[in-house]
């Protein structure tokens, strides 16, 4: 009886000690905050970020930052239709101190309209993988860096590993192999892809790969210079795209949106799913037991021409008019630290733009050799001006009229270019 009693007493002592330590730490942090508050030194920094799936991750990181910096209050803003809300706020002169968007047309718009501060000489740029910085420069058409890349994504084909094993399938690396995979799945009475065209943007992940692999390498420069048109360059591309997308579920493919598709694929509605890696956390929430993998679209029988589309998914920019630049920069410094960047990519299943921070999840094992080869292309739609490509492509999926879709692309592109 003596040993259990001693152990119990020891545990009480340990727990009491730990509680005391925890209490002392908490008391210390509260004391620091109270002291800062009493001295009137708490500075509010608004952090506007567009990724709803990352809210919880940021909450924990912000709490960690504020504990170490009691004089700074980071206010995270994440709203539906973030791009529209941000545009409206900027029009009213209500620019957030830190703006986190992707490396896309919205970033180009912010950068070229003087909304963002020049971060070319920000010391944290030295820790960023060079190609991601070049991507931002290509998007803005400027040598200046109007933001610092933080995380990258990948846009491949998600697949259910158990389904592949049960059907005797291996990862296809050429178009011919992909055709056989599709035939095998359909012959087994299963659905290759669950499509979610209720949300217009969900037509774009696949379109981006078709454009990256099949359009001419100088298309956007030539289109901007008036040397070509979508009608002249994209006819075969759209014909192949529409044929590929006929491998979706039977019935109404416009009934489900993105969230519906994540949940249904997680529960086995299809063998594969045409979404980027950003969907993986939501799929795993719906079914933690599903075994997932991701592979690049094999659109050509020449493997060297099958690119993995990957771009800057998260970057941090500073408002050019912020009055709390020092405190805002301190939070960005904190996010760029390797341990915090690692927490982000681990929880968000993304890839890091920071050197020495790696994505090691087994889900991405099939992508690792592609990154090592450097067979990666940026998202083509990041280089299109503000035309509503998603809406045009959504309508294209309904009407399946290639010439009509191409005509609308050229018309809207020219209208946006002439504004």
């Amino acid at each position: 009886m003596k040993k259990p009693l001693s152990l119990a007493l020891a545990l009480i002592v340990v727990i009491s000690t730990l509680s005391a330590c925890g209490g002392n730490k908490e008391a210390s942090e509260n004391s620091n905050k109270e002291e800062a508050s009493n001295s009137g030194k708490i500075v509010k920094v608004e952090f506007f970020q567009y990724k709803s799936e990352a809210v919880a991750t940021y909450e924990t990181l912000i709490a960690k930052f504020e504990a170490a910096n009691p004089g700074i209050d980071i206010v995270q803003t994440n709203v539906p239709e973030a791009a529209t809300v941000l545009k409206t706020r900027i029009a009213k002169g209500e620019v957030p101190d830190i703006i986190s968007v992707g490396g896309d047309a919205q970033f180009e718009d912010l950068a070229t309209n003087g909304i963002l501060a020049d971060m070319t000489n920000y010391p944290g740029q030295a820790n960023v993988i060079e190609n991601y910085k070049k991507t931002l420069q290509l998007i803005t058409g400027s040598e200046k860096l109007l933001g610092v890349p933080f995380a990258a994504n990948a846009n491949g084909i998600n697949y259910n590993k158990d389904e592949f094993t049960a059907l005797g399938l291996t990862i296809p690396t050429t178009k011919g192999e992909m055709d056989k995979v599709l035939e095998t799945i359909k012959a087994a009475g299963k659905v290759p892809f669950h499509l979610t065209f209720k949300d217009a943007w969900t037509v774009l992940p696949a379109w981006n790969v078709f454009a990256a692999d099949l359009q001419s390498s100088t298309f956007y420069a030539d289109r901007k210079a008036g040397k070509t048109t979508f009608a002249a360059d994209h006819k075969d591309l759209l014909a192949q795209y529409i044929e590929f997308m006929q491998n979706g579920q039977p019935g109404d493919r416009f009934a489900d949106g993105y969230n519906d598709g994540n949940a249904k694929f997680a529960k086995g509605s299809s063998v594969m799913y045409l979404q980027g890696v950003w969907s993986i956390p939501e799929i795993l929430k719906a079914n933690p037991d599903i075994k997932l993998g991701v592979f690049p679209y094999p659109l050509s029988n020449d493997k060297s021409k099958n690119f993995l589309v990957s771009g800057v998914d998260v970057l941090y920019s500073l408002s050019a008019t912020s009055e709390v630049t020092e405190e805002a920069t301190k939070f960005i410094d904190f996010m760029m630290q390797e341990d915090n960047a690692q927490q982000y990519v681990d929880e968000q299943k993304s890839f890091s733009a920071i050197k020495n921070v790696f994505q090691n999840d087994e889900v991405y094992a099939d992508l690792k050799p592609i990154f090592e080869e450097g067979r990666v292309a940026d998202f083509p739609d990041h280089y299109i001006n503000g035309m509503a490509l998603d809406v045009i492509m959504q309508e294209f999926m309904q009407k399946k009229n290639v010439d009509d879709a191409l005509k609308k692309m050229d018309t809207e592109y020219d209208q946006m270019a002439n504004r």
Side-chain angles (χ1 to χ4, degrees):
M1 293 296 290
K2 284 184 179 177
K3 276 184 118 177
L5 181 60
S6 299
L7 180 59
L9 285 170
L11 284 170
I12 290 170
V13 171
V14 169
I15 291 170
S16 299
T17 303
L18 289 173
S19 298
C21 290
N24 289 339
K25 183 181 178 185
E26 186 177 347
S28 174
E29 289 171 357
N30 289 338
S31 174
N32 288 338
K33 283 192 172 184
E34 187 176 348
E35 184 181 342
S37 177
N38 290 337
S39 62
K41 292 182 180 177
I42 288 185
V43 176
K44 284 188 181 293
V45 175
E46 185 181 9
F47 170 49
F48 188 104
Q49 66 88 13
Y50 78 111
K51 296 181 72 67
S52 59
E53 59 269 40
V55 169
T57 295
Y58 279 125
E59 283 178 351
T60 60
L61 288 165
I62 288 170
K64 182 180 174 184
F65 173 80
E66 290 179 341
N69 298 275
I72 303 175
D73 179 13
I74 302 295
V75 181
Q76 177 179 199
T77 301
N78 175 265
V79 293
E81 303 295 337
T84 303
V85 171
L86 182 58
K87 194 172 184 178
T88 303
R89 286 191 51 183
I90 289 171
K92 294 178 180 177
E94 300 171 359
V95 185
D97 302 300
I98 303 172
I99 300 173
S100 177
V101 294
D104 52 22
Q106 183 189 18
F107 171 64
E108 179 189 12
D109 191 44
L110 294 168
T112 55
N113 282 287
I115 306 300
L116 307 178
D118 184 354
M119 296 182 72
T120 308
N121 296 320
Y122 168 60
Q125 300 281 12
N127 300 322
V128 175
I129 295 170
E130 202 61 31
N131 280 348
Y132 291 122
K133 288 188 282 187
K134 288 180 180 175
T135 295
L136 297 194
Q137 291 170 323
L138 284 171
I139 291 170
T140 61
S142 169
E143 289 298 311
K144 291 182 180 178
L145 288 168
L146 282 303
V148 56
F150 177 68
N153 55 24
N155 180 28
I157 297 178
N158 299 332
Y159 72 101
N160 184 321
K161 287 186 174 180
D162 285 339
E163 290 277 17
F164 261 53
T165 300
L167 293 169
L169 299 172
T170 56
I171 302 302
T173 58
T174 64
K175 183 178 184 302
E177 292 174 3
M178 184 65 186
D179 289 342
K180 289 179 182 175
V181 165
L182 294 170
E183 289 170 10
T184 301
I185 292 171
K186 288 186 281 190
K190 293 180 177 291
V191 174
F193 311 131
H194 190 96
L195 302 176
T196 58
F197 297 153
K198 182 178 179 180
D199 288 331
W201 73 268
T202 65
V203 302
L204 294 181
W207 181 88
N208 269 298
V209 183
F210 275 78
D213 286 2
L214 303 178
Q215 75 184 9
S216 60
S217 60
T218 59
F219 174 74
Y220 288 113
D222 291 344
R223 184 66 184 84
K224 195 171 184 178
K227 297 178 180 177
T228 189
T229 61
F230 284 95
D233 191 275
H234 280 48
K235 192 161 187 172
D236 184 54
L237 186 159
L238 279 199
Q240 291 188 51
Y241 172 86
I242 194 72
E243 180 183 355
F244 185 77
M245 300 302 269
Q246 298 315 301
N247 294 294
Q249 73 272 31
D252 187 359
R253 296 167 184 170
F254 295 81
D256 289 336
Y258 173 65
N259 292 331
D260 306 310
N262 292 340
K264 290 187 178 181
F265 171 65
K267 300 293 175 59
S269 66
S270 64
V271 178
M272 297 178 285
Y273 189 49
L274 303 177
Q275 269 295 344
V277 297
W278 52 82
S279 65
I280 288 177
E282 299 303 310
I283 294 168
L284 290 173
K285 279 182 192 173
N287 180 6
D289 296 325
I290 190 172
K291 293 179 182 174
L292 292 172
V294 187
F295 61 86
Y297 286 62
L299 301 183
S300 169
N301 284 322
D302 180 347
K303 295 179 187 177
S304 68
K305 296 180 179 177
N306 292 326
F307 290 95
L308 174 67
V309 170
S310 172
V312 176
D313 190 42
V314 175
L315 61 88
Y316 299 132
S317 287
L318 291 168
S319 163
T321 55
S322 174
E323 296 178 353
V324 292
T325 300
E326 182 179 342
E327 291 80 2
T329 303
K330 197 168 188 178
F331 179 66
I332 295 175
D333 289 342
F334 168 84
M335 289 301 303
M336 302 285 285
Q337 291 173 12
E338 289 184 12
D339 55 340
N340 299 323
Q342 188 71 57
Q343 180 179 338
Y344 183 91
V345 298
D346 287 348
E347 294 184 11
Q348 294 302 306
K349 308 296 183 188
S350 60
F351 302 87
S352 186
I354 312 301
K355 295 173 183 173
N356 301 318
V357 178
F358 303 104
Q359 176 51 262
N360 299 311
D361 196 307
E362 183 61 26
V363 170
Y364 304 109
D366 298 310
L367 298 183
K368 190 175 180 182
I370 310 301
F371 277 110
E372 290 174 347
E373 286 177 39
R375 192 153 36 99
V376 176
D378 194 13
F379 284 77
D381 68 345
H382 290 180
Y383 298 89
I384 292 179
N385 60 21
M387 73 181 198
L389 179 65
D390 55 346
V391 176
I392 295 173
M393 290 299 291
Q394 185 190 43
E395 184 179 311
F396 173 53
M397 295 311 299
Q398 288 175 317
K399 297 181 178 177
K400 301 180 178 60
N401 186 321
V402 171
D403 291 332
D404 183 55
L406 291 171
K407 184 178 179 181
K408 286 184 176 175
M409 286 182 191
D410 280 316
T411 299
E412 288 208 15
Y413 184 94
D414 290 337
Q415 286 175 346
M416 294 301 297
N418 293 328
R419 283 175 64 184

